[in-house]
C-alpha cells in the first residue's frame, strides 16, 4: 500500500461551525480533527498531500511534526473536485492508487481504507467509492445504483428531489482512484449544479463509460463528516468511547466510562481506578495502582505508583511521587513537584513549589514559590506570602520543619532544618536550624543545640 498517494482536502472554512477558527483545527478529545485523519493516512503511505486554503499558515503550523507532508494551496474553494485539481502535479506521474480523504472525517480507521484500496486493486477498478448506510442521510450525497447494484451517480442533497432524498446509502466522500483516470476526469469536471461547484463525485460520469466503478460500504460510526458543533460533539462521544474501551482492555477500571473524559496523548498503566466525572488532559502519565476519585481535572501531570487523588482536585503540570495522597479539593498549579509519601490535604493550593518526601500540607494552606524539605509539617492555615505587589519571592524550608497553624511566611525567607514556628507567627526574617520562633513579627523563642 506504500505506493498509494493520499490527498487530504482541508481548504474549506467550515461555515456551519460558526467559528473564527477553521473547522479542521477544532479539537476532538484534545487533538485537532485533521491530525486524526493524518495519523490514519500515514498508516497507509508516506506520500501524503494536504490541500489547504483558509488559515493555511495555522494548518501548516499544526501539522509541522508530520514528515514528508506536502501542501498545495487552493486559493478559492470552488468545490471538492477543484480542490483535488490543485494536487494535479502530484497525481500526474504517480504510479499506483490515489486515495482521497477529508480533513473533517476524523473517525475513519485505516483498516477500512486499506480494505477499500485492496478491493480497488483486486477488482481492477477505475474508481472506488466508500459508502455507508445512515438512518438519517440528510446533508450527504446520495448513492444512485441500478438494479444490479452498479453505481450510476452521486446526487448532492442540494440537487436531490424528494425521492432521491429518501435513499439512505450515502457518499462518505472518500474514494480511491487510478491516477490516470482521475487526471482525465478532473480535466472534464464542470460546475453545472445548484451550488456552482466542481464536484469530485462528478468524476463518475467520466470514468463510468470506460472503467469499472465499485462501491464498498463502511460502518456509519466511522464516516461521520463533521459539519457543525453537533457533529463535533458526536465525534467527541465516539472517540471517547474508543479511548475508554482501549484503557479498560488494558486493565484500567473506569467506574463510569460515560462520565470519564480522557484526551488523546495520555498514558495510564494497569490497575488504575478512575471514578466518575473526571477529566484527564493530554500529557498526563498515570502509573500503576493510582486511584483518582470523582470530579478531578488533571492536565499534563505525571503521577507515580499508588498515589491517591481524592475528590474534587485540580492538578496542572505537576509531578507527584509514589504513595502520596492529594485532596480532597486540592489545587496544584503548574510547576509543582511533590515527593514520595506526602500528604496534601483539603483546600490546599500549591504553585511552582517543590515538596520533599514525607512532608505534609494537610489543610487550608497557600504554598507559592516554595522549596520544602523532607518530613516537614505545615500547619493548617499557613500562607506562603510570596508576592510583594511587584515581584514573586521564594521561601525555602529545610528538613523536619514544623510550621504552627496560621503562620505567615513572608518571602524571601529561609527556615533551617528542624526549626519551628508558633501558631499565628508572621515570619519576616530567616530562622536558623533547630530554632523556635513566634509572635508578630516572629522572634527567636529558643534554640536547641
Ligand atoms: C461532500 C460530498 C458529498 C458527501 C460528503 C461527505 C461533494 C460535492 N460532495 O459534501 O457527496 O456525502 O462530502 O462528508 O464532494 N474542501 C476543500 N475545497 C473545496 C471544497 C471542499 O478543500 O473547495 C474540503 C473541505 O474543507 C472538507 C471536504 O473538502 O474537508 C468536504 O467538503 P464539504 O464542503 O464539507 O463537502 P460536503 O458538502 O459535505
Ligand atoms: Ca462535509
Amino acid at each position: 500500500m506504500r505506493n498509494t498517494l493520499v490527498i487530504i482536502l482541508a481548504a474549506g472554512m467550515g461555515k456551519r461551525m460558526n467559528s473564527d477558527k477553521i473547522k479542521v483545527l477544532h479539537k476532538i478529545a484534545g487533538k485537532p480533527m485533521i491530525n486524526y485523519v493524518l495519523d490514519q493516512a500515514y498508516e497507509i503511505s508516506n506520500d501524503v498531500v494536504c490541500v489547504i486554503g483558509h488559515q493555511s499558515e495555522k494548518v501548516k503550523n499544526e501539522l509541522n511534526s508530520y514528515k514528508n507532508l506536502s501542501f498545495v494551496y487552493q486559493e478559492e474553494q470552488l468545490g471538492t473536485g477543484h480542490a483535488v485539481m490543485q494536487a494535479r502535479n502530484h497525481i500526474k506521474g504517480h504510479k499506483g492508487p490515489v486515495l482521497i480523504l477529508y480533513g473533517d472525517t476524523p473517525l475513519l480507521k485505516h483498516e477500512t481504507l486499506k480494505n477499500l484500496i485492496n478491493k480497488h486493486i483486486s477488482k481492477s477498478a477505475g474508481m472506488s467509492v466508500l459508502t455507508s448506510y445512515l438512518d438519517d442521510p440528510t446533508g450527504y450525497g446520495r448513492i444512485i445504483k441500478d438494479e444490479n447494484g452498479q453505481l450510476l451517480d452521486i446526487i448532492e442533497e442540494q440537487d436531490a428531489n424528494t425521492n432521491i432524498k429518501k435513499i439512505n446509502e450515502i457518499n462518505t466522500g472518500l474514494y480511491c482512484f487510478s491516477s490516470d483516470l482521475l487526471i482525465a476526469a478532473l480535466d472534464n469536471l464542470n460546475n453545472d449544479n445548484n451550488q456552482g461547484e466542481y464536484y469530485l463525485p462528478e468524476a463518475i460520469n467520466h470514468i463510468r463509460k470506460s472503467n469499472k466503478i465499485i462501491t464498498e460500504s463502511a460502518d456509519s460510526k466511522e464516516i461521520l463528516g463533521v459539519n457543525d458543533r453537533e457533529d463535533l460533539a458526536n465525534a467527541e462521544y465516539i472517540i471517547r468511547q474508543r479511548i475508554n474501551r482501549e484503557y479498560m482492555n488494558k486493565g484500567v477500571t473506569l467506574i463510569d466510562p460515560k462520565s470519564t473524559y480522557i484526551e488523546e496523548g495520555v498514558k495510564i498503566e494497569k490497575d488504575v481506578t478512575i471514578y466518575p466525572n473526571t477529566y484527564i488532559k493530554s500529557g498526563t502519565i498515570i502509573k500503576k495502582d493510582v486511584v483518582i476519585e470523582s470530579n478531578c481535572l488533571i492536565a499534563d501531570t505525571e503521577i507515580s505508583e499508588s498515589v491517591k487523588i481524592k475528590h474534587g482536585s485540580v492538578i496542572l503540570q505537576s509531578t507527584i511521587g509514589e504513595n502520596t495522597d492529594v485532596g480532597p479539593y486540592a489545587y496544584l498549579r503548574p510547576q509543582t513537584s511533590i515527593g514520595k509519601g506526602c500528604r496534601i490535604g483539603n483546600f490546599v493550593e500549591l504553585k511552582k513549589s517543590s515538596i520533599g518526601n514525607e512532608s505534609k500540607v494537610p489543610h487550608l494552606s497557600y504554598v507559592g514559590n516554595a522549596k520544602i524539605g523532607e518530613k516537614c509539617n505545615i500547619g493548617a492555615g499557613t500562607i506562603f506570602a510570596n508576592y510583594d505587589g511587584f515581584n514573586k519571592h521564594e521561601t525555602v524550608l529545610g528538613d523536619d520543619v514544623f510550621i504552627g497553624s496560621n503562620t505567615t511566611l513572608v518571602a524571601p525567607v529561609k527556615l533551617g532544618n528542624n526549626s519551628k514556628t508558633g501558631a499565628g507567627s508572621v515570619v519576616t526574617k530567616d530562622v536558623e536550624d533547630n530554632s523556635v520562633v513566634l509572635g508578630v513579627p516572629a522572634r527567636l523563642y529558643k534554640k536547641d543545640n
Side-chain angles (χ1 to χ4, degrees):
M1 229 142 272
R2 290 282 147 193
N3 68 341
T4 302
L5 168 67
V6 186
I7 301 175
I8 299 173
L9 309 191
M13 184 60 196
K15 285 196 200 85
R16 284 170 283 175
M17 292 295 283
N18 209 348
S19 172
D20 291 338
K21 181 160 73 182
I22 184 175
K23 175 166 66 181
V24 294
L25 293 185
H26 279 261
K27 289 182 177 177
I28 300 172
K31 177 163 121 179
M33 205 184 299
I34 192 166
N35 291 51
Y36 286 89
V37 181
L38 278 157
D39 290 344
Q40 298 306 304
Y42 276 90
E43 290 289 329
I44 290 163
S45 171
N46 287 325
D47 198 357
V48 182
V49 179
C50 199
V51 182
I52 52 177
H54 281 279
Q55 302 186 0
S56 53
E57 286 310 310
K58 286 187 183 154
V59 177
K60 269 188 181 172
N61 271 342
E62 187 61 53
L63 301 180
N64 64 13
S65 63
Y66 292 93
K67 293 204 178 73
N68 302 322
L69 178 61
S70 307
F71 292 97
V72 295
Y73 187 67
Q74 184 192 25
E75 188 158 346
E76 264 187 294
Q77 283 69 51
L78 303 178
T80 48
H82 183 261
V84 177
M85 277 183 217
Q86 312 311 306
R88 212 173 187 288
N89 288 342
H90 290 266
I91 304 165
K92 233 183 161 177
H94 175 77
K95 305 259 175 291
V98 181
L99 180 70
I100 310 289
L101 303 180
Y102 288 175
D104 65 356
T105 309
L107 303 178
L108 222 99
K109 295 181 179 167
H110 62 89
E111 292 88 348
T112 305
L113 300 171
K114 282 181 181 159
N115 178 50
L116 181 73
I117 299 168
N118 282 333
K119 292 272 166 62
H120 178 83
I121 295 167
S122 67
K123 296 195 173 168
S124 308
M127 173 181 184
S128 303
V129 181
L130 193 69
T131 75
S132 189
Y133 294 87
L134 300 185
D135 294 339
D136 177 12
T138 311
Y140 287 91
R142 306 299 203 283
I143 300 291
I144 317 293
K145 286 177 169 169
D146 68 14
E147 60 277 9
N148 301 320
Q150 181 61 42
L151 179 69
L152 294 177
D153 206 354
I154 295 175
I155 308 278
E156 294 305 304
E157 173 93 17
Q158 291 84 348
D159 305 307
N161 63 33
T162 33
N163 272 337
I164 287 175
K165 281 184 182 162
K166 284 182 195 148
I167 296 173
N168 71 343
E169 186 176 12
I170 61 99
N171 173 27
T172 65
L174 312 173
Y175 322 86
C176 190
F177 286 97
S178 302
S179 52
D180 49 339
L181 294 175
L182 177 58
I183 289 283
L186 290 174
D187 289 341
N188 287 298
L189 291 186
N190 65 58
N191 61 354
D192 187 12
N193 52 57
N194 284 340
Q195 300 191 94
E197 288 184 0
Y198 294 90
Y199 290 166
L200 184 58
E202 215 241 308
I204 292 167
N205 298 323
H206 307 288
I207 295 177
R208 194 181 45 193
K209 292 167 208 149
S210 50
N211 270 276
K212 196 148 103 184
I213 299 181
I214 61 166
T215 62
E216 186 62 27
S217 78
D219 184 342
S220 60
K221 274 197 182 151
E222 276 188 46
I223 56 81
L224 173 80
V226 174
N227 291 315
D228 55 27
R229 306 269 180 166
E230 202 177 333
D231 295 333
L232 186 70
N234 285 333
E236 175 92 32
Y237 178 70
I238 292 169
I239 297 268
R240 187 159 79 237
Q241 282 181 318
R242 283 186 194 170
I243 291 173
N244 288 353
R245 194 174 299 135
E246 203 177 311
Y247 284 119
M248 289 188 281
N249 287 336
K250 285 183 177 160
V252 175
T253 296
L254 305 180
I255 306 261
D256 178 21
K258 282 197 198 67
S259 67
T260 305
Y261 304 79
I262 306 171
E263 288 188 347
E264 284 277 323
V266 170
K267 281 191 194 129
I268 306 178
E269 294 187 356
K270 67 180 187 185
D271 292 320
V272 167
T273 301
I274 301 176
Y275 282 72
N277 282 328
T278 286
Y279 211 115
I280 300 173
K281 304 190 83 171
S282 309
T284 299
I285 299 173
I286 302 175
K287 297 278 171 71
K288 264 172 67 94
D289 296 321
V290 167
V291 176
I292 296 172
E293 291 186 353
S294 45
N295 289 355
C296 291
L297 170 72
I298 301 172
D300 202 8
T301 286
E302 202 176 321
I303 302 178
S304 307
E305 279 185 33
S306 306
V307 164
K308 190 163 187 184
I309 310 289
K310 295 182 185 167
H311 181 88
S313 297
V314 174
I315 303 179
L316 314 172
Q317 266 181 55
S318 297
T319 59
I320 302 172
E322 286 165 30
N323 293 305
T324 286
D325 277 13
V326 175
Y329 303 107
Y331 183 19
L332 273 53
R333 292 167 52 196
Q335 298 180 52
T336 292
S337 92
I338 299 173
K340 299 177 189 173
C342 295
R343 193 153 99 71
I344 308 300
N346 51 286
F347 304 105
V348 170
E349 176 179 347
L350 300 178
K351 188 216 87 174
K352 204 176 181 181
S353 293
S354 66
I355 315 279
N357 296 337
E358 293 176 56
S359 286
K360 294 176 187 159
V361 192
H363 335 266
L364 301 158
S365 291
Y366 171 66
V367 180
N369 301 76
K371 285 195 181 117
I372 297 179
E374 300 195 350
K375 295 187 177 152
C376 294
N377 188 79
I378 312 298
T382 296
I383 303 296
F384 286 61
N386 60 336
Y387 186 50
D388 60 10
F390 302 99
N391 294 305
K392 300 283 162 63
H393 300 282
E394 199 178 56
T395 301
V396 181
L397 271 58
D399 297 333
D400 299 297
V401 174
F402 183 95
I403 304 292
S405 296
N406 207 24
T407 295
T408 302
L409 300 169
V410 182
V413 70
K414 284 190 175 129
L415 286 84
N417 294 331
N418 200 33
S419 59
K420 288 188 175 59
T421 72
S425 307
V426 176
V427 181
T428 55
K429 291 193 181 119
D430 290 357
V431 177
E432 290 183 16
D433 290 355
N434 307 314
S435 311
V436 180
V437 298
L438 47 83
V440 181
R443 293 200 170 83
L444 183 66
Y445 171 67
K446 66 173 187 180
K447 181 168 180 188
D448 301 329
N449 290 308

